[in-house]
Amino acid sequence: MAISSSNEAPAQNFVILINFVIGALGSSIVLVLRVFDDLKDIDIVLFDIQDVGVRFFTYISTMTYAMEACAQNKKDFILLDRPNPNGFYVDGPVLEKDFTSFVGLHPVPIVYGMTEGEYAQMLNGEKWLADSVHCNLTVVRCLNYTHHSLYKLPVKPSPNLVNMQAVFLYPSICLFEGCAV
């Protein structure tokens, strides 16, 4: 953000902060990101959402669209990395390209074992962003976190994942989400 050292008005530059408060809006965040055609008044996008390390938990899709918007508009994308509560293992089938959707954008296993920062770096490295664009990405890493660390979330990452048992069961239970009971 520009700061004026004189009596003149400060520059009209803004930062978009995508965090749990905005992420809680649900699908409307996707609509917001898809209208990022004109980011001329935005300096950076700061991404700070707690993911759970599961392919169909849509925060990584939101991150993908935000990174694409930044890349296409030549804006910086800063990601505040967080521990992955399911980051101690990798499991499940890799998504097939024919089944790509908002609940699965990339060919990764159901439980992908990475932090969001590592995932974002993979998006750039594998050229998985739309039109193979490259996002100017900065990852602010977690201190003292390893994939062997068991991490207990201090707040629930979504209304349906209310505790750690729900977070640990989510990779398998969510497969039944579309079934009639």
Side-chain angles (χ1 to χ4, degrees):
M1 306 243 338
I3 299 174
S4 172
S5 60
S6 65
N7 291 333
E8 65 189 57
Q12 296 298 312
N13 296 327
F14 301 95
V15 174
I16 292 180
L17 171 63
I18 300 173
N19 66 13
F20 185 75
V21 174
I22 295 173
L25 296 174
S27 60
S28 55
I29 187 68
V30 177
L31 299 175
V32 169
L33 291 172
R34 290 189 180 213
V35 298
F36 271 174
D37 294 331
D38 184 7
L39 293 178
K40 66 179 170 105
D41 294 328
I42 304 300
D43 290 326
I44 63 169
V45 172
L46 181 66
F47 190 88
D48 182 27
I49 297 180
Q50 177 63 58
D51 189 50
V52 296
V54 178
R55 180 180 67 218
F56 37 74
F57 195 66
T58 57
Y59 292 169
I60 56 171
S61 297
T62 300
M63 178 182 72
T64 300
Y65 289 146
M67 287 176 67
E68 288 172 351
C70 287
Q72 292 161 354
N73 290 280
K74 298 183 179 18
K75 301 298 178 178
D76 294 334
F77 185 84
I78 300 174
L79 187 145
L80 304 181
D81 210 3
R82 294 177 180 219
N84 176 352
N86 284 310
F88 57 93
Y89 73 111
V90 174
D91 194 28
V94 173
L95 181 69
E96 295 177 27
K97 193 173 192 160
D98 291 343
F99 300 106
T100 299
S101 72
F102 187 67
V103 294
L105 288 177
H106 310 110
V108 296
I110 290 176
V111 182
Y112 49 80
M114 292 178 270
T115 67
E116 287 171 302
E118 293 163 340
Y119 199 100
Q121 290 170 326
M122 181 177 68
L123 292 177
N124 263 343
E126 296 294 327
K127 300 184 185 322
W128 285 348
L129 297 177
D131 300 322
S132 298
V133 294
H134 182 79
C135 179
N136 187 17
L137 170 68
T138 301
V139 176
V140 179
R141 298 211 172 279
C142 303
L143 292 177
N144 304 317
Y145 172 74
T146 72
H147 289 284
H148 300 290
S149 305
L150 286 179
Y151 180 70
K152 183 177 179 187
L153 297 174
V155 296
K156 59 185 182 178
S158 83
N160 293 327
L161 298 178
V162 297
N163 57 36
M164 289 309 297
Q165 182 179 13
V167 169
F168 292 141
L169 291 174
Y170 181 66
S172 56
I173 298 295
C174 190
L175 296 173
F176 297 101
E177 192 172 69
C179 297
V181 179

